């Protein structure tokens, strides 16, 4: 009795002591500490080993401290903290980037002590595997729930960790949790309410027995095969750490019931594969399943191959052998597309049609099983949603893996994959990044716009992507809008002239080039009026302008915002994306209505009056901005004419709701058939039924010298010389040049938003050449001081490169943390350099910046826009390798109070008018009013004879005369007719354009 009581007391005591040792197998190694939180690991940041916090905004990172605790499970201190997270936040322990990675491959898992609050919140725990360091590693994640009180030891076996698909850093990694190169761990704390936490003693435990560290995989989840051929499924055994098997592994296999009929469609098979002890990791065996040929035309049929594994982890999915659909008319490439579409549509169920109208984000579908389960018609990569590594090959491999999933569907309709390649294949690291559209508009060069589109299409298609959500055909009427750089300009005539980019992307207007390996389906966006939203009208978060309300008369709508879409439809645009914004047409009595619900515009104008025969794709989650419950939002958008819904993470809900609405009779089957027919037509035109997988034959040209030469020329032609006192530019190579400014040597700022990520980022983000590198490469005698802190004595000229940092969409709206003024650091750099020497100021930005208060001290002023990756193009015009030829695509205001200000306004007195742009290396013609009268007569004659080339040349001569006479002293009397002349030029009215310039000349 006494012995029993003593044992009971000991057991009770052990249960009360939180640090009591956990029982372990006799042959398990002792735990290995990772963090004891006694001060051995400091609070620091890369490249030093340490613990650091992070979060979505300034308030989200938790507050951490090493707290003395008498009840600490290990030692005397614990890691404690408080948090109040609205977005996301947590902390990381990164191992030093300069030290070797840790090898955890021999252990069962990681464990830690957590001080429970019993609040039911999920705590996410990540480990970092492979790559160069903790911030360039794969993230593998698991979680536990705080549903207890007091200290508890949480065990996290490595087998519980899964690969994160929603975010991965750029880097060359393998998607395998190898555990041999571990760089640290991270804890994500729960958001939404305030809380506190404490943890202690993070350590490795256990021994990685084979059942935990060995796995069996198959070469693919789906194995398509032509009828009559033999399917071959490769079964591979692999171990964590690539060690040989310590115990045998057996795999019993057998074909199971699918939609194929055993004995008729295939020969059933069964058996056992044995991998003896000592088998090398990576060893494979093959299971063969013969199929049988018949004469019947049939949809695809499936044969599951059941695998039962002993001694290792089984595959996550049962592999499917698929006998390809065959003999059906829609599979016959010789038939007209219209007949193929009609045949396929007649065979589809309602669920299959709903799937074709649904687009999901790649990060939402994981490995892609839902593609077949929901019959999804499309996937996309949002800004920054990329494979790891972010290489052309990885893109193609990823998209092919998703496309493979469609083979397991009954009708094997291929996916159409889309990306926002808005200035080159900007999601891909190493791609050629073009100037943003505002810079392309400044070139006034339709042939160059075509070439930039062609380069973009070739690089996009070479990675397996057949669809580009570009070009943006907005007519930007207010530069406070955070998307204004996505516009070619403020004049619809300028936007229309740049729509040659559509042919660069798609090829011929009849769609006959879409199946080529260097063309993509293009998207005209955002229909209609997104560039006219009023400042302060947005109801989206803290946005001020983006996604707001465009209030116009019907005539303004037609002449300004609809005009570019008429041109796009004539050019054969394949898809159109409605705008997030609302449209309020004066006098129609409807008020402001979201464009995704305006059937009068989508069905009535776009599809009806304009004859658009492609399909309409919604913007990202735009359906959620409509009023009413989910079902009514589905009805409103689909009935308005939206054919495919971009529902990145709610694809299940949308496809189900859509089918339910049709079953209930609230959406007509005729409307569904129209939408699906439009989608299928483009898939057939793209050749996806014959060639669903990536054609990477053009991948070697991605980022090639030839492609970058197009971007370099675009960067050069986009530079607008606004002022050039004393002919300071072009620079001479004999001059000593002092370069300063925040944007001189920052390729992230130079490329802007929509570069690798949605918002873009400052710094060394993408391969390319900065402006500073371009100047040095041009052979100039250049000294650089970013903040102009270096001595300024002894220089002939200063070049100060200033402007904006990256942003996208409403995040960049003026009033949402942004304005149109230079930063204090930029202003200081301009002041210091321009006070010490003659200076040229380059403004790298997505929109005009207010510089009037410093204009007198600046000798030369250049609007560089966002020139992309080829800073050499900027250097080309600065050093005179190419002439300055760019012209303002938007009006440059004197003050923010003038906004909005646009060509044609009754009151028009800007700093620089629309169309302004000095030139170099080109002699200015001599003459005066008589010369202008002669030019006007000749221009009118050229107009009558349809001689556009001569007409444009004559207007250009007249423009140069006016610019020379003004000497930069611009008045309202000069600016108004000068800007009007450029609009008249773009609309082919050459005689009247020169007459307007003559009016400006007389007023100068």
């Amino acid at each position: 009795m006494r012995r029993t009581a003593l044992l009971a007391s000991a057991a009770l005591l052990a249960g009360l002591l939180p640090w009591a040792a956990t029982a372990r197998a006799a042959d398990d190694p002792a735990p290995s500490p990772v963090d004891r939180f006694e001060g051995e690991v400091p609070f620091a940041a890369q490249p030093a080993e340490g613990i650091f916090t992070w979060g979505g905004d300034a308030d989200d990172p938790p507050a951490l401290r090493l707290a003395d605790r008498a009840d600490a499970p290990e030692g005397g201190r614990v890691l404690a903290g408080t948090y109040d997270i609205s977005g996301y936040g947590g902390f990381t322990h990164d191992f030093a980037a300069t030290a070797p990675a840790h090898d955890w491959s021999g252990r069962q898992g990681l464990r830690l002590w957590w001080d429970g609050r019993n609040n039911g919140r999920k705590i996410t725990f990540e480990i970092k595997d492979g790559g160069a360091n903790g911030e360039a590693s794969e993230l593998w994640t698991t979680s536990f729930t705080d549903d207890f009180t007091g200290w508890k030891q949480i065990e996290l076996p490595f087998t519980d960790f899964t690969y994160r698909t929603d975010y991965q850093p750029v880097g060359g990694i393998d998607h395998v949790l190898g555990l041999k190169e571990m760089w640290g761990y991270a804890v994500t704390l729960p958001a939404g309410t305030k809380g506190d936490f404490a943890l202690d003693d993070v350590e490795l435990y256990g021994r990685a027995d084979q059942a935990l560290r060995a796995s069996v995989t198959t070469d693919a989840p789906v194995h398509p095969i032509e009828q009559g051929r033999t399917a071959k499924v490769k079964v591979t055994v692999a171990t964590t750490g690539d060690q040989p098997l310590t115990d045998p592994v057996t795999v019993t296999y057998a074909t199971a019931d699918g939609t194929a009929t055993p004995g008729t469609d295939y020969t059933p098979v069964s058996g056992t594969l044995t991998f003896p002890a000592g088998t090398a990791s990576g060893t494979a065996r093959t299971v063969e399943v013969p199929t049988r040929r018949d004469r019947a035309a049939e949809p695809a049929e499936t044969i599951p191959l059941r695998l039962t594994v002993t001694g290792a982890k089984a595959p996550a999915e049962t592999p499917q052998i698929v006998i390809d659909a065959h003999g059906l008319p829609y599979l016959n490439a010789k038939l007209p597309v219209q007949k193929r579409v009609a045949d396929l549509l007649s065979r589809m169920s309602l669920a299959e049609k709903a799937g074709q109208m649904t687009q999901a984000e790649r990060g939402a579908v994981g490995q892609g099983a839902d593609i077949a389960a929901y019959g999804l018609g499309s996937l996309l990569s949002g800004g920054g949603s990329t494979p790891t590594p972010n290489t052309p090959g990885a893109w193609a491999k990823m998209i092919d893996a998703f496309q493979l999933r469609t083979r397991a569907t009954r009708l094997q309709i291929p996916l159409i994959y889309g990306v926002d390649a808005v200035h080159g294949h900007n999601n891909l690291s190493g791609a050629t990044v073009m100037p943003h559209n505002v810079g392309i508009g400044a070139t006034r060069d339709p042939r160059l716009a075509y070439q930039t589109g062609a380069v973009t299409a070739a690089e996009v298609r070479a990675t397996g992507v057949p669809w580009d959500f570009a070009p943006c055909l907005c007519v930007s009427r207010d530069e406070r809008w955070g998307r204004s750089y996505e516009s070619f300009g403020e004049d619809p005539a300028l936007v229309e002239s740049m729509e040659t980019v559509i042919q660069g992307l798609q090829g011929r207007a009849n769609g006959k080039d879409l199946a080529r390996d260097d063309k993509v389906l293009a998207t005209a966006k955002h229909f209609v009026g997104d560039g006219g939203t009023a400042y302060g009208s947005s109801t989206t978060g803290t946005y001020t302008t983006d996604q707001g309300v465009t209030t116009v008369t019907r005539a303004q709508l037609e002449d300004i915002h609809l005009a570019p879409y008429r041109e796009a439809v004539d050019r054969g645009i394949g898809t159109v994306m409605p705008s997030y914004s609302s449209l309020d047409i004066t006098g129609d009595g409807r008020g402001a209505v979201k464009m995704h619900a305006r059937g009068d515009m989508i069905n009535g104008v776009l599809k009806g009056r304009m004859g658009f025969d492609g399909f309409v794709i919604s913007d990202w989650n735009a359906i959620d901005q409509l009023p009413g419950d989910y079902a009514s939002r589905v009805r409103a958008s689909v009935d308005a004419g939206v054919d495919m819904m971009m529902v990145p993470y709610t694809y299940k809900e949308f496809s189900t709701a859509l089918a339910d609405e049709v079953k209930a009779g609230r959406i007509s089957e005729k409307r569904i058939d129209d939408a699906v027919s439009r989608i299928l037509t483009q898939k057939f035109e793209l050749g996806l039924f014959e060639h669903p997988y990536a054609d990477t034959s053009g991948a070697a040209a991605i980022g090639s010298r030839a492609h970058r030469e197009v971007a370099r020329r675009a960067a050069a032609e986009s530079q607008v010389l606004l002022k050039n006192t004393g002919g300071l530019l072009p620079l001479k190579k004999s001059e000593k040049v002092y370069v300063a400014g925040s944007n001189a040597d920052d390729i992230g700022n130079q490329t802007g938003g929509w570069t690798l990520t949605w918002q873009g980022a400052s710094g060394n983000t993408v391969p390319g050449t900065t402006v500073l590198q371009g100047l040095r490469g041009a052979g100039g005698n250049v000294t650089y001081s970013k903040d102009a802190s270096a001595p300024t004595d002894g220089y002939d000229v200063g070049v100060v490169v200033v402007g904006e940092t990256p942003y996208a969409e409403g995040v960049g709206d003026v009033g949402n943390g942004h304005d149109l003024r230079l930063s204090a650091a930029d202003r200081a750099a301009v002041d210091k350099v321009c006070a010490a020497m003659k200076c040229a100021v380059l403004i790298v930005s997505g929109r005009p910046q207010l510089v009037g208060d410093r204009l007198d001290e600046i000798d030369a002023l250049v609007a560089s826009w966002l020139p992309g990756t080829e800073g050499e193009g900027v250097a080309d015009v600065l050093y005179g390798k190419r002439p300055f030829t760019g012209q303002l695509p938007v009006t440059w205001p004197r003050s923010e109070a003038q906004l909005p200000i646009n060509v044609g306004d009754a009151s028009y007195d800007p700093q620089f008018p629309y169309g302004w742009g000095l030139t170099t290396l080109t002699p200015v013609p001599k003459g005066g009013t008589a010369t202008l009268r002669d030019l006007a007569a000749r221009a009118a004659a050229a107009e009558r004879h349809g001689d556009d080339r001569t007409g444009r040349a004559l207007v250009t001569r007249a423009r140069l005369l006016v610019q020379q006479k003004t000497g930069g002293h611009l008045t309202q009397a000069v600016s108004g007719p000068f800007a009007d002349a450029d609009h008249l030029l773009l609309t082919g009215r050459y005689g009247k354009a020169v007459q307007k310039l003559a009016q400006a000349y007389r007023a100068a």
Side-chain angles (χ1 to χ4, degrees), residues 100 236 241 369 480 576 603 783 879:
T236 302
R480 290 173 291 189
V576 171
N603 284 328
T783 296
Y879 271 110

Side-chain angles (χ1 to χ4, degrees), residues 564-582:
Y565 289 92
R566 289 193 293 267
E567 176 73 15
V569 171
D570 289 344
R571 288 182 174 276
I573 194 77
T575 61
V576 171
M577 181 182 292
S579 176
Y580 281 124
S581 57
S582 300

Side-chain angles (χ1 to χ4, degrees), residues 497-730:
S497 72
M498 294 294 107
E499 290 187 51
T500 50
V501 69
I502 294 172
Q503 264 56 66
L505 292 166
Q506 289 195 167
R508 289 173 289 176
N510 61 10
K512 297 300 182 182
D513 294 331
L514 283 173
R516 283 172 37 175
D517 64 4
D518 62 348
K519 294 299 172 190
V520 294
L521 194 67
T523 307
K525 63 183 189 184
H526 304 89
F527 186 82
V528 59
D530 53 336
T533 50
Y535 183 82
S537 68
S538 181
T539 57
T540 300
T542 57
Y543 295 5
T544 61
T545 310
D546 190 37
Q547 304 182 24
V549 180
T550 298
T551 303
V552 287
T553 65
R554 194 163 290 279
Q556 289 170 328
L557 177 65
E558 292 285 343
D559 295 342
I560 297 173
H561 299 291
L562 276 171
Y565 289 92
R566 289 193 293 267
E567 176 73 15
V569 171
D570 289 344
R571 288 182 174 276
I573 194 77
T575 61
V576 171
M577 181 182 292
S579 176
Y580 281 124
S581 57
S582 300
L583 180 63
D584 185 354
I585 303 175
T586 305
D588 76 348
R590 299 185 63 185
V593 179
K594 284 284 186 181
M595 274 306 308
H596 280 76
R598 289 213 67 138
D600 60 327
M601 301 305 300
I602 300 174
N603 284 328
V605 175
L606 178 65
K607 292 181 176 179
R609 194 182 81 200
M610 291 184 183
F612 172 63
D613 59 4
F615 70 88
V616 175
I617 170 71
S618 88
D619 210 333
W620 178 283
N621 274 337
I623 190 174
D624 293 337
Q625 296 192 5
L626 302 183
D629 60 20
Y630 195 72
S632 65
R633 284 180 257 149
V634 170
R635 288 197 303 275
S637 53
V638 172
D639 282 344
V642 180
D643 301 305
M644 181 184 286
M645 209 67 64
M646 189 186 292
V647 278
Y649 296 95
T650 56
Y651 56 90
K652 299 176 185 178
E653 293 84 346
F654 171 74
S655 60
T656 300
L658 177 60
D660 287 346
E661 289 301 293
V662 177
K663 292 173 187 175
R666 292 186 287 267
I667 297 177
S668 71
E669 292 190 34
K670 181 179 179 181
R671 169 70 192 103
I672 298 301
D673 286 352
D674 171 61
V676 177
S677 294
R678 290 169 176 270
I679 294 164
L680 294 177
T681 296
Q682 298 302 327
K683 290 186 176 185
F684 279 118
E685 294 281 8
L686 284 163
L688 294 176
F689 281 82
E690 288 69 52
H691 304 288
Y693 300 115
D695 182 343
T696 59
S697 58
I702 294 174
S704 65
R705 183 173 181 178
H707 286 186
R708 290 186 181 275
E709 180 56 35
V710 173
R712 179 174 179 171
R713 190 164 70 253
E717 290 190 28
S718 71
Q719 303 300 294
V720 180
L721 185 57
L722 300 173
K723 179 181 180 181
N724 194 24
T725 304
L728 181 64
L729 296 178

Side-chain angles (χ1 to χ4, degrees), residues 71 196 269 284 437 562 575-576 688 715 764 889 964:
D71 63 346
D196 65 307
V269 300
N437 282 355
L562 276 171
T575 61
V576 171
L688 294 176
N764 188 21
Q964 182 186 53

Side-chain angles (χ1 to χ4, degrees), residues 763-777:
N764 188 21
T765 55
V766 291
T769 305
T770 65
V771 174
L772 174 66
Q773 291 168 334
L775 291 171
R776 286 174 170 162

Side-chain angles (χ1 to χ4, degrees), residues 8 15 44 173 236 272 341 381 401 417 542 576 586 630 746 758 770-771 825 905:
I173 326 179
T236 302
T272 299
V341 170
S381 279
Y417 199 102
T542 57
V576 171
T586 305
Y630 195 72
D746 193 312
W758 175 40
T770 65
V771 174
D905 287 354

Side-chain angles (χ1 to χ4, degrees), residues 32-332:
S32 299
V34 177
D35 276 349
R36 299 170 65 248
F37 304 114
E38 298 302 301
E40 74 280 7
V41 177
F43 295 107
Q46 283 279 2
E49 179 180 3
I51 298 168
F52 63 93
T53 61
W54 39 265
D57 57 40
D59 297 328
D60 284 350
L64 302 182
R65 70 187 190 281
L66 295 178
D68 293 321
R69 287 277 292 263
D71 63 346
E74 199 286 326
R77 291 197 285 183
V78 302
L79 180 67
T82 58
Y83 58 89
D84 183 7
I85 302 168
S86 58
Y88 64 90
F91 61 92
T92 289
H93 174 185
D94 266 2
F95 306 144
T98 56
H102 295 198
D103 185 352
W104 292 355
S105 63
R107 308 312 294 262
Q108 183 179 354
L110 200 71
R111 64 190 181 198
L112 57 100
W113 288 92
W114 187 264
D115 190 11
R117 301 295 188 266
N118 199 23
N119 53 26
R121 298 178 188 170
K122 186 173 78 170
I123 310 299
T124 301
F125 196 95
E126 290 177 350
I127 55 179
K128 303 185 169 194
D129 175 54
N133 55 61
E135 295 306 286
S137 56
E138 287 182 346
L139 305 182
W140 293 75
T141 185
T142 189
S143 64
F144 63 91
T145 302
D146 187 337
D147 56 2
F148 53 90
T149 301
W151 290 107
K152 178 180 179 180
Q153 193 171 46
I154 307 296
E155 292 192 345
L156 305 172
F158 292 133
T159 52
D160 287 353
F161 285 83
T162 58
Y163 181 81
R164 276 190 64 175
T165 58
D166 59 330
Y167 169 77
Q168 289 292 337
V170 175
I173 326 179
D174 57 8
H175 297 211
V176 175
L177 182 57
L179 296 172
K180 294 181 76 66
E181 290 185 296
M182 301 306 302
W183 292 102
Y185 66 88
V187 176
T188 300
L189 296 164
T193 56
K194 294 181 179 180
D196 65 307
F197 70 93
L199 79 156
D200 199 10
D201 194 22
V202 181
E203 65 181 16
L204 301 169
Y205 74 93
R207 184 188 306 279
D209 61 59
Q210 181 171 281
L212 292 171
R213 68 182 184 86
S215 61
V216 169
T217 59
T218 59
D219 52 337
V222 180
H223 293 77
I225 190 76
E226 292 181 17
Q227 64 161 344
R229 295 183 177 272
T230 297
K232 297 180 180 180
V233 180
K234 184 185 292 185
V235 179
T236 302
V237 65
T239 61
T240 300
D242 294 328
Q243 301 300 312
L245 295 180
T246 56
D247 298 298
V249 172
T250 59
V251 181
T252 301
Y253 62 88
T255 48
D257 290 340
T259 57
T261 304
T264 301
D265 296 316
Y266 69 97
T267 302
V269 300
S270 61
T272 299
L273 305 175
T274 301
F275 299 88
T279 299
S281 178
T283 300
R285 307 270 192 273
T286 300
V287 176
E288 297 189 354
V289 180
T291 67
R292 299 184 178 184
R293 182 178 297 277
D294 59 38
R295 295 183 178 180
E298 296 174 311
E301 298 171 309
T302 59
I303 310 164
L305 184 64
R306 304 285 185 194
L307 303 177
T308 304
V309 179
T310 303
K313 188 177 180 180
E317 297 181 56
T318 298
Q320 300 278 326
I321 297 162
V322 181
I323 302 173
D324 285 336
H326 52 274
L328 302 173
Y330 75 88
L331 297 171
N332 185 355

